[in-house]
Amino acid sequence: MSDEGHTTLSYAQLRTLALADPSATATVVDALRFLHENAFHPEAEETGNWWHWEIGTPRILLDICVLLRAHIPDADLKDYLAAVRWFCPDPDRQVKTGPWSPLTETGANRADKALIVALSGLLAGDADRVALARDGLSPLFEYATSGDGFYEDGSLIQHDTVAYTGSYGVVLLTSVAEVLALLRGSPWEVSDPGVSVVFDAVEKSFLPFLFEGRMMDTVRGRAIARQHSRDRDIGAATLDAIRLLAESAPSSYAERWRALQRPTGFHVFGAMDRVVHHRPRWSAALSLSSERIARYECGNGENLHGWYTGDGMLYIYDLDDPDHYTDEFWPTVDPYRLPGTTVDTRLREDVGRGSGRGTGAVMAPNRVAGGTVFEGGFGTAELDLHGEGSTLRAHKRWHFLDDAVVALGTDISASDGRRIETIVENRNLHVDAGRRFVVDGVVQEPELGVERRHLGVQWAHLEGVGGYVFPGGTDLISLREERTGTWHAIDVGVSTEGDEVEVRRVFHTLWLDHGVSPRRAGYMYVLLPGASEEGTARRAAQL
């Protein structure tokens, strides 16, 4: 961890101590003085990751100051607020290159800084600073047409090109909710009518990406690689933010939010190349990319194996197994074989490991990526795939129906002398190595580590997951294997307890082999989430 990261972590540990043990108050007060003298003060040079200096440390320090206000000497508090003001003078700009940097803050970072400025202003009794915080929120209350922010179609983008509803978006929602609650009923209460953009975002931007309280990974960017930031945790944070926001929202919003049930229907988020399909017992989410939206984001040592997450990865969520992605999925899944993708089997290198600090988005050159909503709550999506670092080209399409997802691929071509594959499934079976798998009515031996090629397959079924139908028949390859990995292998940015501990999970993978340097190859298969073995066989007979 970097020095500035250690400083933020030290303050975080003090906050935990202050919350957990009132008898440790004197120790915390002394430690605050030590950190101010040796790490976080106006004369300190802002090195490394600016976030720790301008958001991470100031926010945590202010939390402690609020908690222990009666115990912190006035002179110490004045010093701490001076440091906060130096590194976060207002919500509008970043000071990394100097106090008058022209870089304007947007999205979650702006909301975080507004909260920091509001807290520091209240602690200092500085009315002008509190008003600055309030007014700093207003740019967030306008729909974006490019770059960061909320879009009218429900998209939320951060870092210009990354679909980030489930990471930066949750931070934005939380910080806005906290500022609204903090200033409600005061002379600085937020009265900008544009705040309705945030209220509307609850149903337009956030709820469509929740499944059984879990935030879908399709909109979590590089945060999928963080051991202590899993879909269930972020889902809980989202719901907490909505509950807090309801206290400041008009009653019409708050009453509707309390009565909301799990949504159904097909949703297109065209500005960020995402689609979501909800059915009563399962949901699907599709990650696309284009010249507008990144394939994946890496950097700060995070998301080292995110290569194919934006190339048509199809997430299937099922009520019978809501923890499929929560349960050690990312450190153990084969990152070369993400479901829904068509890939060049070239060897990849870790991204971001040696790139230093900061983040970077890997873009694609294609223009076609998106979806269309049909009457009845169904829809379609498509992607013109250009393989990264490859001559691979393919046109991919998905149809989202009442009980199925139909996947089609055409014009699959490449000329690099490598094998091209389309991944039908890569399911986390947790530790159940004996899960029943059937191909055309024949039960397959559940032997681990054995790759099998099944010829002319019409249908297959995986117990506890669902069915797969291949109209006209196809050659299907299956592999059940125990995979091992560590969180540290995909995130070296922050060292946390247990991140180098090896974890093991059993995966069942299905894929189609298009051969070496295929020319105009194709595929068609039907996913039947939650279907029975008998129902899958009947469906195959109908096609």
Side-chain angles (χ1 to χ4, degrees), residues 336-486:
Y336 290 89
R337 289 178 172 154
L338 300 180
T341 62
T342 297
V343 298
D344 182 328
T345 55
R346 73 187 183 96
L347 185 65
R348 304 296 297 264
E349 296 181 354
D350 289 353
V351 292
R353 184 181 293 272
S355 63
R357 296 168 186 166
T359 58
V362 178
M363 304 301 296
N366 56 290
R367 300 188 67 185
V368 175
T372 303
V373 179
F374 296 145
E375 186 176 352
F378 311 124
T380 186
E382 60 182 312
L383 170 69
D384 274 347
L385 175 67
H386 290 233
E388 183 191 356
S390 169
T391 60
L392 171 62
R393 302 291 184 270
H395 186 73
K396 297 169 67 69
R397 184 182 292 267
W398 296 263
H399 298 288
F400 295 85
L401 309 178
D402 181 53
D403 63 345
V405 179
V406 180
L408 305 100
T410 58
D411 296 325
I412 302 172
S413 301
S415 59
D416 302 296
R418 293 185 293 266
R419 195 168 297 278
I420 305 299
E421 299 175 349
T422 292
I423 316 305
V424 176
E425 182 63 278
N426 200 343
R427 203 69 186 173
N428 181 3
L429 303 185
H430 310 291
V431 293
D432 186 0
R435 194 83 64 91
R436 179 182 171 95
F437 178 58
V438 177
V439 176
D440 287 338
V442 179
V443 178
Q444 306 298 303
E445 290 294 328
E447 187 176 357
L448 293 177
V450 178
E451 185 176 303
R452 291 187 171 90
R453 183 178 291 265
H454 312 275
L455 304 180
V457 175
Q458 300 290 325
W459 64 274
H461 184 269
L462 182 56
E463 180 186 2
V465 177
Y468 312 86
V469 175
F470 305 92
T474 192
D475 292 351
L476 177 68
I477 302 174
S478 68
L479 172 65
R480 181 168 298 184
E481 61 179 336
E482 184 181 60
R483 293 188 55 81
T484 62
T486 68

Side-chain angles (χ1 to χ4, degrees), residues 77-214:
L77 179 63
K78 184 177 179 180
D79 287 343
Y80 304 155
L81 294 179
V84 169
R85 185 162 187 158
W86 176 259
F87 289 107
C88 184
D90 63 53
D92 188 57
R93 56 196 168 82
Q94 206 175 108
V95 300
K96 172 71 183 238
T97 58
W100 302 105
S101 169
L103 182 59
T104 300
E105 290 290 16
T106 58
N109 294 333
R110 187 181 193 93
D112 272 345
K113 288 192 171 183
L115 178 58
I116 290 167
V117 172
L119 285 170
S120 62
L122 289 170
L123 284 166
D126 185 337
D128 290 341
R129 190 156 171 78
V130 180
L132 184 67
R134 176 200 61 204
D135 297 342
L137 290 179
S138 289
L140 301 175
F141 302 155
E142 302 172 2
Y143 284 118
T145 56
S146 64
D148 295 353
F150 290 109
Y151 286 69
E152 288 196 82
D153 69 356
S155 298
L156 192 148
I157 294 173
Q158 188 89 24
H159 292 174
D160 290 325
T161 61
V162 185
Y164 252 138
T165 312
S167 179
Y168 283 93
V170 177
V171 173
L172 191 164
L173 187 70
T174 301
S175 291
V176 169
E178 290 178 342
V179 174
L180 294 181
L182 189 65
L183 302 183
R184 188 174 66 251
S186 77
W188 308 280
E189 183 169 1
V190 175
S191 58
D192 188 332
V195 72
S196 62
V197 168
V198 178
F199 297 147
D200 290 338
V202 168
E203 293 162 78
K204 290 173 61 176
S205 302
F206 292 94
L207 290 182
F209 289 103
L210 289 176
F211 181 87
E212 291 298 292
R214 293 152 180 82

Side-chain angles (χ1 to χ4, degrees), residues 40-53:
F40 189 70
H41 51 82
E43 290 74 35
E45 181 184 358
E46 184 173 337
T47 58
N49 189 336
W50 68 270
W51 181 89
H52 290 287
W53 295 95

Side-chain angles (χ1 to χ4, degrees), residues 496-508:
T496 59
E497 183 177 355
D499 67 351
E500 294 193 45
V501 174
E502 193 173 77
V503 291
R504 298 172 180 267
R505 292 296 181 270
V506 176
F507 280 79
H508 196 100

